[in-house]
Amino acid sequence: MNKTYIFPLFLLAAGGCTGGRGHDRPNVVFIYADDIGYGDLSCNAGDLGNGSRTIVTPNVERLASNGLRFTNAHAAAATSTPARYSMLTGEYAWRRAGTGIADGDAGMIIRPERYTLADMFKDAGYTTAVVGKWHLGLGDEKGTQNWNETLVPGVRDIGFDYSYIMAATGDRVPCVFVENDTVVNLDPDDPIAVSYAENFPGEPTGKDNPELLRMLPSHGHDMSIVNGISRIGYMKGGRKALWRDEKIAGTLTEKAVRFIESSKDAPFFLYFATQDAHVPRVPDERFVGKSGMGPRGDCLLQFDWSVGQILDAIERCGLADNTIVVLSSDNGPVVDDGYQDQAVELLGEHRPGGIYRGGKYSSYEAGTRIPCIWSWKGRIAPGTVSDALVCQIDWLATLADIVGVRLPGDAAPDSQVQRDAWMGKDPQGRATLVVQNAANNLSLIAGGWKYIRPGNGTPYMKNVDIETGNSPDPQLFDLASDPAERHNLAADCPQRVDEMSRVLEEIVDGRYGLPLSSE
Ligand code: NG6
Ligand code: CA
């Protein structure tokens, strides 16, 4: 049903919207944070045991009070690239080689022939956009991109009409924005070159020239220097194109808001992926010192500001009645992720992962159990909470169901239609969920239990102070009574270990039927 909204004059003056029209298919906006943990947002503070509000994120609270807050929502992986791959394709990343944390010169990991969430929205007649951190590769093959020309294949080949992205992460070169497959502010007289193999002659590095740095690395991150911060990988040239770290959040938020404003008259999908609170943490001066927790906490406040800007834009454009807003994070939190930014020293009582064990990179709950909110005015009850087991991998099939798209047969093989769970009508959610840690070790979560498959790799990453869950022995936790995964019950419950291991192997082999036969 089309409705015409009448705007108060002061709102017209405040922003770029000159009117808006409702439509029967909802707009969909993802606000996808980076490395923000369950305990990092104050809407989850009551779940942390002591109820302490060590940080206050009012705009996220505003979204939560308008919608449904999940306490048992997961990213499909405990690091960015596989979590994003799974979310955008509806396929578990561990089914595909080459889906680990991507270098900045990785080729497109999602190939054009693969059906994506953006393709699904295109099939529904939506205008689609991605703004922010990409981290899924660009161009054809690793290291072969010419950053001074159009990058092909690019994100428009996998369903996005508009894009304004960082190729990889804030701590990886090239430190430039790419708009519609072309680097922003290219200067032909200062071409960009990127290498993940070796430095360019004469270019300073963090390793050799620490005197040029304004923030020292704590581990890694000692290659090319951009804005006084050394990164992962080498680049030279493109001086006019380089981002300024303190302006990243402002720039990306502005692009996202502009997309909303310019798309308001027809259904749109926006995937807005913030760089906050990934390293390097360099917030805008407005946020510096505001959290009392150093740059990491300040970046959480900056994230909250971005959320507020997006919500304001949706309201200003008259779209609040017909927009699904989804807020989540790509993986769990990490405190020291490679720079001496005082995150550890100033953490105080704040617990980024809430009561959960582990963190980013980990098989334990804090690795993938992330903040998650869905809001849809009039359709999802405001201010509600769900403990259902849900995963971002289901957004594709579920949203296809909501907007009325029938998926091609081979699309999104692991994505389940969990519409009732995401709408707050089914308290159970998934019967089974497989999550992966940074060492590609898999866990099965089912029926309130968690089984961690034995696997190689270090049990403890000292640099980041995180328990990975890697172990040569099986681990089994009763999440219902032991959500912090303190007691490994594998030796006490061999039958359950056998059963869960069998189910996991069946899912890995694709024999378990998707959607699962028991559902
Ligand atoms: C690690 C980086 C870390 C971060 C991570 C990816 C080092 C020592 N550590 O390898 O800083 O960039 O990769 O994070 O280089 S993610 O959130 O994008 O997955
Ligand atoms: Ca991340």
Side-chain angles (χ1 to χ4, degrees), residues 33-36 78-81 84 133 135 278 329-332 360:
D34 198 353
D35 296 0
I36 291 187
T79 57
S80 158
T81 302
R84 288 163 206 258
K133 170 173 168 175
H135 210 193
H278 197 280
S329 179
D330 67 338
N331 52 251
K360 175 176 179 175

Coordinates of all heavy atoms in Angstrom, one line a residue, residues 33-36 78-81 84 133 135 278 329-332 360, ligand 2:
A33 N 28.6 -4.1 12.8 CA 29.8 -3.6 13.5 C 31.0 -4.6 13.3 O 30.8 -5.7 12.8 CB 29.5 -3.5 15.0
D34 N 32.2 -4.2 13.7 CA 33.4 -5.0 13.5 C 34.0 -5.2 14.9 O 34.3 -4.2 15.6 CB 34.4 -4.2 12.7 CG 35.5 -5.1 12.1 OD1 35.5 -6.3 12.5 OD2 36.2 -4.6 11.3
D35 N 34.1 -6.4 15.3 CA 34.7 -6.8 16.6 C 34.0 -6.2 17.8 O 34.6 -6.0 18.9 CB 36.2 -6.3 16.7 CG 37.1 -7.0 15.6 OD1 36.6 -7.8 14.9 OD2 38.3 -6.6 15.6
I36 N 32.7 -5.9 17.7 CA 32.0 -5.4 18.9 C 31.3 -6.6 19.6 O 30.6 -7.4 19.0 CB 31.0 -4.3 18.5 CG1 31.8 -3.1 18.1 CG2 30.0 -4.0 19.7 CD1 30.9 -1.8 17.8
A78 N 34.2 -16.7 13.8 CA 34.8 -15.8 14.9 C 35.8 -14.8 14.3 O 36.5 -14.1 15.0 CB 35.4 -16.6 16.0
T79 N 35.8 -14.7 12.9 CA 36.6 -13.7 12.3 C 35.8 -13.1 11.1 O 34.8 -13.7 10.7 CB 38.0 -14.1 11.8 OG1 37.8 -15.2 10.9 CG2 38.9 -14.5 12.9
S80 N 36.3 -12.0 10.6 CA 35.5 -11.2 9.7 C 35.2 -11.9 8.3 O 34.0 -12.0 7.9 CB 36.2 -9.9 9.4 OG 35.9 -9.3 8.2
T81 N 36.2 -12.3 7.6 CA 35.9 -12.7 6.2 C 35.0 -13.9 6.2 O 34.0 -13.9 5.4 CB 37.3 -13.0 5.5 OG1 38.1 -11.8 5.5 CG2 37.1 -13.5 4.1
R84 N 31.4 -12.8 7.2 CA 30.8 -12.0 6.1 C 30.4 -12.9 4.9 O 29.4 -12.7 4.3 CB 31.6 -10.8 5.7 CG 31.7 -9.8 6.8 CD 32.9 -8.8 6.6 NE 33.2 -8.2 7.9 CZ 32.9 -7.0 8.3 NH1 32.2 -6.2 7.5 NH2 33.2 -6.6 9.5
K133 N 33.2 -1.5 5.6 CA 34.3 -2.5 5.5 C 33.8 -3.7 4.6 O 32.8 -4.3 4.8 CB 34.6 -3.0 6.9 CG 35.5 -4.3 6.9 CD 35.9 -4.6 8.3 CE 36.6 -6.0 8.3 NZ 37.1 -6.4 9.6
H135 N 36.3 -6.5 3.0 CA 37.0 -7.7 3.4 C 36.7 -9.0 2.8 O 36.8 -10.0 3.4 CB 36.9 -7.7 5.0 CG 38.2 -8.3 5.6 ND1 38.2 -8.8 6.9 CD2 39.4 -8.6 5.1 CE1 39.4 -9.3 7.2 NE2 40.2 -9.2 6.0
H278 N 37.2 -2.0 15.2 CA 38.4 -2.7 14.8 C 39.6 -1.8 14.9 O 39.5 -0.6 15.0 CB 38.2 -3.1 13.3 CG 39.1 -4.2 12.8 ND1 40.4 -4.0 12.5 CD2 39.0 -5.5 12.6 CE1 41.0 -5.1 12.1 NE2 40.1 -6.1 12.2
S329 N 27.2 -7.7 14.7 CA 28.7 -7.6 14.6 C 29.3 -8.8 13.9 O 28.6 -9.9 14.0 CB 29.2 -7.5 16.1 OG 30.6 -7.3 16.1
D330 N 30.4 -8.7 13.3 CA 30.9 -9.8 12.5 C 31.6 -10.9 13.3 O 31.7 -12.0 12.9 CB 31.9 -9.3 11.4 CG 33.2 -8.7 12.0 OD1 33.2 -8.3 13.2 OD2 34.2 -8.7 11.3
N331 N 32.0 -10.5 14.5 CA 32.6 -11.6 15.4 C 32.8 -10.9 16.8 O 32.5 -9.7 17.0 CB 34.0 -12.0 14.9 CG 35.0 -10.9 14.5 OD1 35.2 -10.7 13.4 ND2 35.5 -10.3 15.5
G332 N 33.2 -11.7 17.7 CA 33.3 -11.3 19.1 C 34.5 -10.3 19.3 O 35.2 -9.9 18.4
K360 N 37.0 -12.8 20.0 CA 37.3 -13.0 18.6 C 38.3 -14.1 18.4 O 39.1 -14.3 19.3 CB 37.9 -11.6 18.2 CG 38.4 -11.6 16.7 CD 38.9 -10.2 16.4 CE 39.4 -10.1 15.0 NZ 39.8 -8.7 14.6
Ligands
CA2 CA 35.9 -8.4 12.8

